[in-house]
Amino acid sequence: DQWRIYGDLYPHTMAAQAYQSTDPQVQQLVDNVSRYLYWWGSHEASYELTERAYGARRDQLGATDLATLRAGHWLGWLLFVLGRFQEAAELNSDILQAYREVGEEDTEDHLRALGAVAADRRVAGDFAGSLELTQEVYDRHVRALGPEDPETINAAHNLGVSLRLSGDLNRAYDIDYRNQQIRIQYYGSDHPITLESTRSLIIDRRELGDYVGARTEAQSVADLLRHQLSPG
């Protein structure tokens, strides 16, 4: 409901150079505008704004300030989305090290930084290393937030991806099924977050040899999305 407002604010954010502000409320506004741009599909514009914010905060507040680290983490994700995987991996490694230096253990931000490095390993083809780190991220989420916290479920989803890439299809299926059931309880069966788990289950079924079941469910999801996204 607020996207139109963020769209109106974006040019003013750039013209006023709000990304240079050290005021926490202005920083939050900049971060929100960047996320609006990302979800709207303007990934390059989101990257440009976040790169400027990260550079300004690093210069003014230091590399280990939490506002700097949050911007750096988001910048790493945008580099990843843009296919600049080596740059993303280098930045994500720096951000994770900075969290460790300031003693931010088992906070949501620190765990997200760990997850980013795990994703970098997957892209690099280090499936075993990614699985080891993704398992650690999931276990820490369970200890810190509980097994059904939305952040824990997201970590479990990533664990399912790593398990599937490592060939442990049965365990990946079990995790994806549990995630889907919890997300149905939270969001309903046709919410995009739930469908993320449903799509993972379809892949699991296909890789396990249930081609007919995977085909049938994939058609159901495709029909649902076509209905949801139709202009009418």
Side-chain angles (χ1 to χ4, degrees), residues 77 80 85 89 92 112 114-135 137-138 154-166 196:
W77 167 246
F80 188 92
F85 300 122
N92 289 334
R112 289 193 189 105
L114 273 174
V117 172
D120 295 330
R121 291 183 181 180
R122 277 199 301 272
V123 169
D126 181 10
F127 298 142
S130 177
L131 176 57
E132 179 182 2
L133 192 52
T134 308
Q135 182 69 61
V137 171
Y138 173 70
N154 185 60
H157 169 78
N158 293 331
L159 178 57
V161 173
S162 289
L163 287 165
R164 189 160 50 246
L165 290 172
S166 299
E196 179 184 55

Side-chain angles (χ1 to χ4, degrees), residues 21-216:
S21 176
T22 58
D23 184 303
Q25 289 186 316
V26 179
Q27 290 175 343
Q28 186 64 63
L29 170 64
V30 170
D31 293 346
N32 289 350
V33 170
S34 177
R35 281 159 175 76
Y36 153 76
L37 291 168
Y38 167 77
W39 287 109
W40 184 251
S42 299
H43 296 161
E44 290 283 359
S46 180
Y47 167 78
E48 179 184 359
L49 175 58
T50 305
E51 182 187 36
R52 295 187 183 191
Y54 175 64
R57 295 177 196 180
R58 184 185 55 205
D59 293 343
Q60 297 176 40
L61 303 173
T64 59
D65 183 86
L66 293 182
T68 304
L69 294 177
R70 282 192 289 271
H73 171 74
W74 183 244
L75 183 62
W77 167 246
L78 292 170
L79 286 167
F80 188 92
V81 167
L82 293 169
R84 296 163 62 174
F85 300 122
Q86 184 59 41
E87 293 173 79
E90 292 171 359
L91 177 58
N92 289 334
S93 178
D94 290 343
I95 296 298
L96 179 58
Q97 180 59 36
Y99 273 116
R100 287 170 173 163
E101 289 177 6
V102 298
E104 287 288 311
E105 293 290 326
D106 287 345
T107 64
E108 288 189 25
D109 289 336
H110 173 244
L111 293 175
R112 289 193 189 105
L114 273 174
V117 172
D120 295 330
R121 291 183 181 180
R122 277 199 301 272
V123 169
D126 181 10
F127 298 142
S130 177
L131 176 57
E132 179 182 2
L133 192 52
T134 308
Q135 182 69 61
E136 178 186 349
V137 171
Y138 173 70
D139 291 342
R140 288 190 175 198
H141 270 91
V142 171
R143 290 196 298 269
L145 302 173
E148 296 190 1
D149 184 89
E151 289 290 333
T152 304
I153 298 305
N154 185 60
H157 169 78
N158 293 331
L159 178 57
V161 173
S162 289
L163 287 165
R164 189 160 50 246
L165 290 172
S166 299
D168 194 344
L169 298 173
N170 287 303
R171 189 172 172 223
Y173 179 90
D174 290 342
I175 288 175
D176 290 332
Y177 180 77
R178 185 169 66 247
N179 286 351
Q180 183 201 48
Q181 296 307 301
I182 294 174
R183 284 174 164 176
I184 288 173
Q185 293 177 16
Y186 283 165
Y187 307 108
S189 60
D190 59 352
H191 191 281
I193 292 177
T194 304
L195 292 177
E196 179 184 55
S197 292
T198 303
R199 289 195 298 270
S200 293
L201 274 173
I202 292 170
I203 297 172
D204 295 334
R205 287 174 178 161
R206 186 187 68 206
E207 296 302 309
L208 286 167
D210 181 12
Y211 302 125
V212 175
R215 166 68 174 79
T216 300

